[in-house]
Amino acid sequence: MLAARRGWRAPRACWAPRRCAALSPGRAAARLRVRQALAAREPAGGVTVQGWVRSVRSQKEVLFLHINDGSSLENLQVVADPSLETRDLTFGSAVEVQGKLVKSPHRMQNMELKAETIRVVGPCDTWAFPLKTKERHPLEYVRQFPHLRCRTNTLGSLLRVRSEATAAIHAFFKENGYMHIHTPIITSNDCEGAGELFQIETSNEARESAEKNHFFDVPAFLTVSGQLHLEVMAGAFTRVFTFGPTFRAENSQSRRHLAEFYMVEAELSFTESLQDIMQVMEDLFKTATSTVLSKCPHDVELFHKYVAPAQKGRLEQMLKKRFVTISYSEAVEILKQASQTFTFKPEWGCDLQTEHEKYLVKHCGEVPLFVINYPYDLKPFYMRDNEDGPQHTVAAVDLLVPGIGELCGGSLREERLPFIESRLQRLGLADAYQWYLDLRKFGSVPHGGFGMGFERYLQYVLGVDNIKDVIPFPRFSHSCLL
């Protein structure tokens, strides 16, 4: 077996268009993605492209196909002899095409594939297939088919943008000296203190008596945040981040909420300034967005043309301008003086609602807005006490963006042992968070951090109204995908 492994050699696939151009007729066919074929600069023989048929047009002397493999919004045009057409060569069918990559005479496409052979790998019943050729299906329609909607242009573009944004976020943190940490998904921590937790138990436990032993020694939940675990790591590695799934058991089916979503979270040690945290938020936001716009121009343009025509201007304005900063107290005064009538009356000491957040962003010029220094009693126990008199606040910050409201939330963390110890005792949490107090006893330093909802970020960049349209698998139908 070992000898067989040593003797095996993977077939060499040509991924770079320049190398493909140098292929000789006697060599094995080079397998290209559609994106690579479209980007090729020179003709090449012996090329294989695999994908799904987006359109078929048969004429007397020539057969035209458009195929796509998910690597690009643009389709690759295939030109073939009509004799290569078969009954199974239909819209939606999976094909493998071999031939020559040649210059296209059409201005809109650089290269096209002159087919020598076409093999239908998987036929498609076009009458039963719910997606139809040359139709722009509304998002409401494709939500009915969570297992097929990724084959539409809109969702294909969304998922390519999502992939590039994920890579851009990781690249930003890596280039700025952060260590990536995989924080637990199953935890006993309720970081936010809101009680919106999914408790974990085995199927047998649900039927057993409460007196019997359970799988975990303590109540266990799906995580709502990796922040407390990141604080542990920041005490050893200075700058850390995590990017993973989080869960909120909020009983809401609104266009703003998800039960499962992804969070980008970071912690920075040796920082005493809330401005430092805000600067990282702004830099991350702008860097990731610039990368997405440069690497997925056609995909983003599709959304800005058909879904949210005004969003392109908002993004350009966001990238050029510095974010605005106001205090929570200033925000409440702005809301009280507003001519608009709010469903929730703005009062100092009450949390800002989405309607308030959107108004504040509009009032400040439709650019992202930092709101800082929230009331002490509104925020979780770990936020740093500002010790600022009758209107008692903590060093907290929320980043609000146009059309969405809150996108990021962060704070300086309370590093002073007497302060955090006193607050945990008042809340009756001192025993449960003894380990957290230990962090303040052994080499504690000023530190802070933030979290950003990834799906809300995608909503903002693309201008999508319903957050359920920026996730790969919506919880709408088909029990196997719930």
Side-chain angles (χ1 to χ4, degrees):
M1 187 66 166
L2 182 60
R5 286 184 178 178
R6 286 177 177 170
W8 182 81
R9 292 289 184 272
R12 296 183 64 187
C14 178
W15 298 108
R18 286 186 178 179
R19 291 178 60 194
C20 294
L23 286 174
S24 60
R27 291 186 60 179
R31 187 175 297 169
L32 292 183
R33 301 296 301 273
V34 166
R35 183 181 186 130
Q36 294 167 316
L38 291 170
R41 297 181 180 179
E42 300 294 336
V47 169
T48 299
V49 177
Q50 299 164 322
W52 290 268
V53 176
R54 290 297 181 90
S55 70
V56 183
R57 182 160 52 94
S58 182
Q59 298 181 355
K60 185 176 181 180
E61 297 181 353
V62 65
L63 170 68
F64 291 102
L65 298 179
H66 284 103
I67 63 174
N68 195 291
D69 63 356
S71 63
S72 168
L73 175 61
E74 299 174 88
N75 302 317
L76 176 65
Q77 179 167 279
V78 176
V79 182
D81 189 279
S83 63
L84 295 179
E85 185 175 13
T86 67
R87 182 181 61 183
D88 291 334
L89 192 59
T90 61
F91 170 70
S93 60
V95 296
E96 179 179 272
V97 183
Q98 292 187 357
K100 297 178 181 178
L101 203 58
V102 299
K103 289 283 187 180
S104 174
H106 300 286
R107 186 177 61 181
M108 300 299 292
Q109 185 163 282
N110 183 42
M111 306 296 286
E112 63 185 24
L113 186 61
K114 187 174 182 181
E116 296 169 352
T117 64
I118 300 176
R119 181 170 71 93
V120 177
V121 180
C124 176
D125 183 347
T126 55
W127 294 106
F129 192 40
L131 306 178
K132 304 304 177 183
T133 182
K134 296 182 180 179
E135 284 191 27
R136 186 174 296 116
H137 301 288
L139 292 173
E140 291 77 8
Y141 174 77
V142 299
R143 284 192 210 119
Q144 303 173 68
F145 311 100
H147 57 306
L148 297 173
R149 71 176 197 156
C150 57
R151 301 191 194 184
T152 64
N153 282 342
T154 304
L155 271 296
S157 289
L158 179 281
L159 293 174
R160 281 187 292 272
V161 168
R162 186 180 176 111
S163 179
E164 284 293 348
T166 299
I169 288 167
H170 277 273
F172 171 85
F173 284 118
K174 183 176 181 180
E175 290 167 6
N176 285 280
Y178 288 74
M179 177 179 286
H180 182 212
I181 304 293
H182 291 108
T183 53
I185 293 177
I186 299 176
T187 178
S188 60
N189 292 324
D190 179 8
C191 181
E192 300 295 325
E196 296 166 352
L197 300 162
F198 287 107
Q199 185 163 353
I200 295 181
E201 57 185 16
T202 66
S203 58
N204 289 332
E205 286 176 341
R207 296 188 294 268
E208 290 175 353
S209 167
E211 298 177 358
K212 294 186 178 181
N213 293 328
H214 293 290
F215 188 86
F216 297 102
D217 293 333
V218 295
F221 312 95
L222 293 177
T223 182
V224 298
S225 170
Q227 180 217 311
L228 297 183
H229 295 96
L230 279 185
E231 283 196 60
V232 172
M233 295 298 172
F237 301 106
T238 309
R239 295 183 177 188
V240 293
F241 82 101
T242 190
F243 189 172
T246 51
F247 306 84
R248 301 285 168 89
E250 182 174 348
N251 190 16
S252 173
Q253 297 298 322
S254 75
R255 305 168 79 86
R256 285 177 45 82
H257 296 96
L258 293 169
E260 176 184 354
F261 57 98
Y262 273 69
M263 281 273 282
V264 182
E265 299 179 88
E267 290 289 320
L268 300 75
S269 290
F270 300 100
T271 179
E272 300 182 39
S273 169
L274 192 58
Q275 181 61 43
D276 292 343
I277 308 300
M278 294 156 58
Q279 190 62 57
V280 178
M281 286 186 187
E282 184 170 343
D283 291 345
L284 170 64
F285 195 4
K286 289 182 175 179
T287 301
T289 303
S290 295
T291 301
V292 167
L293 294 179
S294 65
K295 294 200 172 182
C296 303
H298 300 299
D299 293 311
V300 174
E301 184 183 3
L302 181 145
F303 280 86
H304 292 175
K305 183 176 181 180
Y306 296 109
V307 178
Q311 196 62 15
K312 183 178 180 180
R314 286 178 177 171
L315 288 182
E316 291 173 347
Q317 188 177 28
M318 182 273 290
L319 292 172
K320 291 177 184 177
K321 293 188 175 183
R322 291 297 306 270
F323 294 177
V324 178
T325 302
I326 62 173
S327 70
Y328 167 88
S329 297
E330 291 172 323
V332 171
E333 287 305 312
I334 291 171
L335 294 170
K336 285 183 175 180
Q337 296 173 19
S339 56
Q340 177 177 328
T341 301
F342 298 106
T343 303
F344 297 90
K345 185 179 179 180
E347 293 287 349
W348 203 98
C350 296
D351 214 349
L352 299 180
Q353 303 296 319
T354 301
E355 59 177 346
H356 302 149
E357 294 169 346
K358 290 182 177 181
Y359 178 86
L360 289 169
V361 173
K362 186 176 181 179
H363 176 84
C364 293
E366 291 286 7
V367 295
L369 169 68
F370 288 117
V371 179
I372 64 173
N373 298 334
Y374 280 77
Y376 179 90
D377 292 331
L378 274 184
K379 293 298 183 180
F381 65 86
Y382 50 76
M383 295 192 175
R384 198 177 198 277
D385 191 340
N386 281 330
E387 302 178 87
D388 53 354
Q391 288 191 330
H392 200 179
T393 66
V394 290
V397 57
D398 284 345
L399 176 60
L400 314 181
V401 297
I404 302 295
E406 182 187 349
L407 176 67
C408 300
S411 75
L412 293 179
R413 314 311 189 191
E414 184 57 82
E415 86 285 2
R416 299 164 295 182
L417 180 60
F419 283 79
I420 191 69
E421 196 169 34
S422 173
R423 190 164 195 188
L424 286 174
Q425 285 175 351
R426 288 198 304 273
L427 295 171
L429 298 173
D431 291 340
Y433 286 92
Q434 188 59 49
W435 64 270
Y436 196 72
L437 294 175
D438 283 349
L439 298 179
R440 273 62 182 169
K441 295 177 183 177
F442 310 124
S444 179
V445 300
H447 63 286
F450 69 92
M452 179 179 79
F454 186 50
E455 281 77 13
R456 284 193 183 178
Y457 168 76
L458 294 172
Q459 267 193 287
Y460 175 72
V461 171
L462 299 176
V464 177
D465 181 52
N466 192 331
I467 198 169
K468 296 174 179 64
D469 289 326
V470 297
I471 57 176
F473 297 104
R475 298 183 71 255
F476 275 93
S477 58
H478 297 273
S479 59
C480 63
L481 291 180
L482 290 180

